Amino acid sequence: MQWVCREYQRGNCKRPETECRFAHPPDHVTVDSAEGMVTVCMDYVKGRCSRDLCRYFHPTPHLQAQLKAAQSRANAAATQAAMAFPGMSPYSKRPAMDKSGLPVYQPSAAAYQQALTMQVQQPFVPVSYTCLPSAVTGHPAAVPRF
């Protein structure tokens, strides 16, 4: 998704399409009016869109660079987050022929054992109970009241 230039939508954007940091979509591209965004044609970004009037936005090279930079930051953050959890690998797409229907996370035996040992086995610690005198509660002090 790419933000659409508000000034362009009003017909007032002074910047050329190649310099504005927001999208200047043609009329045939669907704009989500509630969010002011367009869906980027990933086929075009990969150099594979062959549609005559594509309903998705074909970003200019400088917007493609922005998209790729944002994707790189997201991938780096995901990799960093995955390092916080040993035994988990970051999710990556597999080719369609490689999909076997197995779950994404399959810990090794060592990672499973590590997760089990990380669970803290805390001993039971009884909570102290103070009973008020029977004159206040109307209940004998020797019998705990729950």
Side-chain angles (χ1 to χ4, degrees):
M1 299 289 276
Q2 176 73 41
W3 291 104
V4 177
C5 177
R6 290 182 187 167
E7 295 300 316
Y8 174 78
Q9 287 178 311
R10 294 180 191 124
N12 296 330
C13 187
K14 305 284 189 248
R15 296 175 202 88
E17 182 180 4
T18 56
E19 293 178 13
C20 187
R21 65 182 199 153
F22 299 105
H24 287 201
D27 293 334
H28 65 274
V29 173
T30 306
V31 177
D32 181 355
S33 58
E35 295 184 21
M37 299 183 91
V38 288
T39 302
V40 174
C41 179
M42 294 312 289
D43 288 337
Y44 180 79
V45 171
K46 294 174 185 174
R48 297 188 295 214
C49 183
S50 59
R51 295 179 284 273
D52 290 331
L53 286 176
C54 185
R55 67 181 185 152
Y56 301 111
F57 177 64
H58 289 189
T60 56
H62 79 285
L63 291 178
Q64 287 183 39
Q66 280 183 357
L67 289 169
K68 289 177 183 176
Q71 286 176 337
S72 295
R73 286 190 302 270
N75 288 342
T79 302
Q80 200 170 27
M83 294 175 85
F85 299 100
M88 287 188 72
S89 60
Y91 177 76
S92 59
K93 287 188 174 182
R94 298 175 287 171
M97 299 297 290
D98 185 39
K99 294 183 180 177
S100 60
L102 297 174
V104 173
Y105 177 65
Q106 294 180 336
S108 64
Y112 181 72
Q113 288 298 325
Q114 182 181 8
L116 286 177
T117 57
M118 285 176 62
Q119 291 179 350
V120 179
Q121 301 292 332
Q122 294 183 358
F124 174 73
V125 178
V127 178
S128 63
Y129 175 79
T130 305
C131 187
L132 295 174
S134 61
V136 175
T137 63
H139 196 290
V143 179
R145 184 175 180 191
F146 296 100

